[in-house]
Amino acid sequence: MTKVEDLLELLNLKSVDVNVFQGYNKTVGSPNVFGGQVLAQAINAASQTITNSRVLHSMHAYFLEAGNLELPIIYNVALVRDGGSFSVRRVTADQNGKTIFILSASFHKKEDGYNHQIDINTKVKQPEELMSWTDMLEQFGDAIPKKNKRIY
């Protein structure tokens, strides 16, 4: 995976039933599924069940077992609550009948509130504008530690 487009494709899930999604795996050098991938796919699954424009507010994640790179991951989303301001989802990620990951996610309606952050710097390059891993290897390969080169 060397481009942002590759990552976005990996995060796309296949809908297999009502509130059930299937994700695929890609190695980043580890013999097991990368935890960040499972987390991102689980958030995506939960988000697809939100129909009222609410945004992710908070989450708790539990990694229970190592994921197998050779098997797809099934994400089962439980609609725990849809209240006046918050929606809560519970996602279990399963492989071979075993739960490998659990996510509890809270989504909140968009509303104005106190602003205590500084304005974002709009001159920062977007991910699509950054160098790919392949370009970095070509340009800076001598400075990158060998163990990091092995990942890709």
Side-chain angles (χ1 to χ4, degrees), residues 2-5 7-8 124-133:
T2 60
K3 299 177 188 163
V4 172
E5 292 81 17
L7 173 63
L8 294 175
V124 175
K125 286 185 178 184
Q126 296 301 301
E128 300 83 19
E129 301 172 275
L130 300 174
M131 293 175 72
S132 70
W133 178 251

Side-chain angles (χ1 to χ4, degrees), residues 1 7 10 25-37 69 147-152:
M1 196 170 8
L7 173 63
L10 179 66
N25 306 311
K26 178 127 180 154
T27 184
V28 291
S30 167
N32 300 316
V33 176
F34 180 62
Q37 172 194 313
L69 279 170
K147 69 177 184 174
N148 291 15
K149 287 183 191 178
R150 285 194 313 258
I151 291 175
Y152 298 91

